Amino acid sequence: MIFKVLLAGIYIFAGGSKIINLYLFRATILAYYPFLPEALAVLLAIVFPWVEILAGLSLVVNWKTKYSSSFLFLLSLFLVVQTILNYSNILPYGCGCFGFSGPEKISLYNVFRDLSIMFLAGWVCLSEWKK
């Protein structure tokens, strides 16, 4: 239960930090994927944080937890891959995971943090599917 709430809190916080500044989240998306059309980056910046928040809330209220935990695990896996692919790159607004700062070099800290979240999500996902 505590791991589920922790994972939910991480993604609710992450989504909330993106909603506060959609403009910088859009810019961060374009830093990761410069080939994306502007309209798609805007759409992702608007929708993605709400999906994170709703998946986290689903865990908190115990609604469809198998699916939300699976989604958060797959999302965490995707984010780990993106962090590794951008390792040692300098992103203009930071990695964008939990808010935005100035230019940030993606480091081992980012990789290990995202791996830790992925393992937490995997644990929660396995626990939910075993029920």
Side-chain angles (χ1 to χ4, degrees):
M1 176 67 173
I2 187 134
F3 292 134
K4 187 164 59 169
V5 172
L6 178 61
L7 180 65
I10 288 169
Y11 275 99
I12 291 169
F13 178 77
S17 71
K18 292 173 182 87
I19 287 173
I20 291 171
N21 199 332
L22 292 176
Y23 175 78
L24 287 180
F25 185 45
R26 179 202 55 85
T28 303
I29 291 170
L30 290 172
Y32 278 103
Y33 308 104
F35 55 84
L36 273 182
E38 176 78 18
L40 183 55
V42 169
L43 180 65
L44 284 171
I46 293 168
V47 172
F48 185 77
W50 289 106
V51 172
E52 286 182 310
I53 291 169
L54 290 174
L57 288 174
S58 172
L59 291 179
V60 172
V61 299
N62 285 318
W63 183 73
K64 304 285 185 184
T65 56
K66 289 180 181 178
Y67 304 109
S68 57
S69 64
S70 297
F71 170 76
L72 291 177
F73 172 70
L74 292 173
L75 177 60
S76 299
L77 177 62
F78 172 76
L79 295 174
V80 165
V81 169
Q82 294 309 305
T83 303
I84 291 170
L85 290 175
N86 284 281
Y87 179 75
S88 81
N89 289 345
I90 297 175
L91 298 178
Y93 302 105
C95 76
C97 300
F98 300 102
F100 308 96
S101 57
E104 176 187 11
K105 184 176 184 178
I106 303 302
S107 65
L108 282 177
Y109 166 77
N110 302 98
V111 173
F112 286 124
R113 181 197 59 210
D114 289 356
L115 277 171
S116 299
I117 295 170
M118 184 193 72
F119 285 123
L120 174 63
W123 180 270
V124 171
C125 182
L126 285 174
S127 299
E128 290 302 309
W129 282 94
K130 284 183 178 179
K131 288 182 178 179

